[in-house]
Amino acid sequence: MSVLRDLERQKKALESEIKRLEEKMALYQEELPRLIQRLAEITEVIEHVRQLPRYKRNDTTDSVPQKEEKENESF
């Protein structure tokens, strides 16, 4: 009988885990469209900013010299 009880406990544990995962999946399904929309908006803004004259140059190093210039000006 203890084997049967152990199996029943395992069954209940698995049912609980499945229910918990289904609830999480439902929440993710609700959240996913919002995140995809936000990603599209940010991508659009990035593309717009890249078209600005200031960022048409090498945008990875553009801001570094500006910081160095400001530091040198303070001395």
Side-chain angles (χ1 to χ4, degrees):
M1 208 57 165
S2 70
V3 172
L4 185 57
R5 271 189 244 146
D6 185 50
L7 290 172
E8 290 290 336
R9 271 194 295 256
Q10 288 180 32
K11 179 184 172 191
K12 285 186 180 190
L14 286 173
E15 288 172 342
S16 294
E17 183 69 11
I18 289 170
K19 184 177 179 180
R20 186 182 67 79
L21 290 173
E22 287 173 340
E23 290 170 355
K24 276 188 171 184
M25 287 171 51
L27 289 174
Y28 291 144
Q29 290 299 324
E30 290 175 12
E31 192 70 11
L32 194 57
R34 186 188 68 78
L35 293 174
I36 291 170
Q37 176 63 34
R38 182 68 180 136
L39 177 62
E41 292 169 357
I42 290 173
T43 301
E44 187 177 316
V45 170
I46 288 170
E47 291 305 313
H48 176 74
V49 169
R50 283 187 175 154
Q51 298 304 313
L52 297 174
R54 176 178 178 181
Y55 294 98
K56 280 194 175 184
R57 292 178 279 150
N58 187 352
D59 59 5
T60 58
T61 59
D62 188 32
S63 62
V64 175
Q66 290 177 357
K67 289 182 180 178
E68 290 174 2
E69 289 174 13
K70 288 182 181 179
E71 290 174 4
N72 291 337
E73 290 173 2
S74 64
F75 289 112

